[in-house]
Amino acid sequence: MFKTWLLPGAHDGGMDMHIAPRLIVPDPDRASAFYQDVLGADRVFRAEPDGDGRPAVVEHRFGGTSFRVSPAVSSWGWLSPDDLGGSAVLLEIETADPDAVGARMAAQGAEVVVPIENRPYGKRSGRLRDPFGHLWILTGPLH
């Protein structure tokens, strides 16, 4: 599960801060549907599409946190994993049942990169690449 950190602090003028990853994808609506189906994310906001028919941002919430998807726009420096030749970030979800989440992801077109198994460090985890090139670590309790 994404972790959201609210940081009270002197460095931000006393304001709380919130971080929300934004995943750059070729097709935000297709990615949004995938994340809703496999993660159970709720779509909470979708910007009206620009001239190319793609929304500039689609926001999702699940597990007390949020993340966004946006289209690749090379002139803005917004590059998808395919544009970069791979994912530059690992996203990690901690869940009670990583096997079930992994199975849903794989059934919807994700590639299993590292099988979900019990690991010697005391977690059950594995890694998948979603259909948009982003890498996810799914982790949870040992079986």
Side-chain angles (χ1 to χ4, degrees):
M1 172 181 331
F2 288 109
K3 301 230 182 210
T4 300
W5 302 95
L6 295 178
L7 304 170
H11 302 295
D12 63 1
M15 308 245 338
D16 286 339
M17 295 190 312
H18 173 88
I19 187 168
R22 186 176 296 215
L23 306 179
I24 306 302
V25 298
D27 183 342
D29 286 324
R30 187 170 152 245
S32 177
F34 175 84
Y35 298 130
Q36 289 175 69
D37 288 346
V38 302
L39 301 178
D42 294 318
R43 187 180 85 182
V44 296
F45 175 77
R46 179 181 182 272
E48 289 301 315
D50 283 336
D52 66 3
R54 300 180 304 172
V57 64
V58 181
E59 183 175 355
H60 303 85
R61 290 211 175 107
F62 77 104
T65 193
S66 64
F67 70 100
R68 298 170 177 104
V69 295
S70 288
V73 181
S74 60
S75 63
W76 295 352
W78 291 12
L79 304 175
S80 73
D82 286 345
D83 298 327
L84 296 171
S87 182
V89 175
L90 285 168
L91 301 153
E92 186 168 343
I93 295 177
E94 189 163 340
T95 178
D97 193 348
D99 296 276
V101 175
R104 284 195 306 271
M105 289 180 77
Q108 295 285 335
E111 172 194 357
V112 176
V113 177
V114 176
I116 297 170
E117 299 175 343
N118 289 340
R119 303 292 172 189
Y121 47 81
K123 295 276 189 176
R124 184 166 183 79
S125 68
R127 192 172 343 123
L128 288 92
R129 179 177 293 108
D130 71 24
F132 318 100
H134 293 284
L135 289 171
W136 296 80
I137 296 173
L138 303 177
T139 188
L142 296 171
H143 281 200

